[in-house]
Amino acid sequence: MAYLLGVVLFALAILISVSLHEAGHMVTAKKFGMKVTRYFVGFGPTIWSFRRGETEYGLKAIPLGGFCKIVGMTPQDDDVAPADESRVMWRFPVWKRTVVMSAGSVTHFGLAIVALWLAAVFMGLPNPDFPATEEQARQEPAVVAVTDCVVVEYVARACEAGDPASPAAQAGLRDGDRILAVSGTPVDTWGDMLEAIRGADPGPATVRYERDGTTGTVEAELAAVQRPELGTDEGPLSTVAALGVGLRIEKPGMVTYGPIEAFGATGDYLRQMAVGTVEAMMRIPEKIPALWASITGAERDIDTPISVVGASRLGGEAVANDAWELFVLLFISLNFFVGVFNLLPLLPLDGGHIAIAWFEKARSWLYAVLGRPDPGRVDYFKLMPLTYAVLLIGGAFTLLTITADVVNPITLFSR
């Protein structure tokens, strides 16, 4: 039940953000004097609507987005009444059209920023010093958390009856001990400790440690386990030694901030998202084969793109596991990604209209410098083949991600 509630809540949050996106277009267009005739949430048959002034507002049956109709977005629009000719969008200065067309993305950015600040104050943001990757973890001090057992086979599971007891626990090591040496090999970082243990044979080993400022030595009987080569998750398994410890990180995973400090933390997180979003968008083409493979039976790569369906499912998982911070961060990341993606200079995205508006202005300026007649507005009809190509590619990619999210979804929690 909690999972379903999370899915519905996240889908509703997406619908609200998209509706506010369209409201951003509408409000700025009206502010500049452009005529907006319709503003609807959803698509398909109209469920309910009302008219206020010159604009019809309403709700449609398919809650998959929304739209607003601004009269005369392009010179080729043929549904402009003679009385509205002076208010068509394409006649307004390019800076005003830029504001209107970018208002949707600005709304998404605004939602992300406000949600980030609130999260920083009341929920916490991921600690930038917390190791996010295996390589970062290997640079941490070799402070250990002693496990109850060692799992001989290479599987991720909890201890079960019959598993060998942890050599570290049997030797008397405790949570928070810092390993200094293994059988005479000095250890400084977690990576050093892993290499020292892997370099030893299963059996007796001398472990020197530090506890509360005092050093000590214990004799441990290293267990024999099956593992791949150090630093890899796949490949041939071999028999190696194990101490029965995990990395203990004293830093908190989430950090809360005061109202003033939260502004700086929000800015830092936004910069990280900006870099991550650009990198993720650049990797999309190379992830398509992995998406297709996940549909045809391969394991789903957690780094593959997801659709709103996949995002909603992750939102459901977050709620089901009481991980509301993940729910909020998913919402923030999605809004930021949509805001950036929508500004790409491709039709029919808002960024495509902005790019054309500034191209027209630059071309008019250049022709004036050269003393040639103004070539006028871009003919959108000539751009239709490119627009259809973008729609076809985008539609196919959306269908691919939705199918993968239904057939082989990404999961962050074991169920």
Side-chain angles (χ1 to χ4, degrees), residues 226-249:
Q226 296 294 308
R227 298 290 185 269
E229 183 180 349
L230 194 61
T232 65
D233 294 325
E234 299 178 352
L237 302 180
S238 59
T239 301
V240 297
L243 180 59
V245 294
L247 173 62
R248 177 168 174 160
I249 301 174

Side-chain angles (χ1 to χ4, degrees), residues 142-164:
V143 179
V144 299
V146 178
T147 62
D148 294 327
C149 73
V150 289
V151 179
V152 175
E153 65 270 27
Y154 184 54
V155 292
R157 62 169 175 79
C159 292
E160 298 177 353
D163 287 334

Side-chain angles (χ1 to χ4, degrees), residues 96-183:
K96 290 185 177 182
R97 284 182 283 154
T98 300
V99 170
V100 172
M101 295 310 299
S102 62
S105 285
V106 170
T107 300
H108 284 297
F109 295 143
L111 286 171
I113 291 170
V114 171
L116 266 176
W117 184 87
L118 291 172
V121 174
F122 298 106
M123 182 192 74
L125 295 179
N127 187 345
D129 297 324
F130 193 84
T133 65
E134 182 178 352
E135 184 58 34
Q136 291 173 344
R138 287 170 63 89
Q139 303 306 314
E140 290 290 312
V143 179
V144 299
V146 178
T147 62
D148 294 327
C149 73
V150 289
V151 179
V152 175
E153 65 270 27
Y154 184 54
V155 292
R157 62 169 175 79
C159 292
E160 298 177 353
D163 287 334
S166 165
Q170 289 186 314
L173 291 174
R174 300 177 188 173
D175 290 350
D177 287 349
R178 179 168 182 170
I179 307 302
L180 302 177
V182 176
S183 295

Side-chain angles (χ1 to χ4, degrees), residues 355-391:
I356 289 174
W358 284 97
F359 169 78
E360 289 174 341
K361 185 174 181 64
R363 187 176 63 172
S364 296
W365 174 84
L366 179 61
Y367 273 55
V369 170
L370 298 175
R372 298 171 59 181
D374 191 330
R377 305 292 182 174
V378 167
D379 186 348
Y380 274 73
F381 288 132
K382 293 181 178 179
L383 297 175
M384 290 310 293
L386 179 60
T387 303
Y388 287 140
V390 172
L391 285 171

Side-chain angles (χ1 to χ4, degrees), residues 264-283:
T266 297
D268 292 339
Y269 197 85
L270 280 173
R271 282 191 289 272
Q272 294 175 27
M273 278 203 304
V275 173
T277 297
V278 172
E279 291 177 347
M281 291 173 64
M282 293 176 64
R283 291 198 307 267

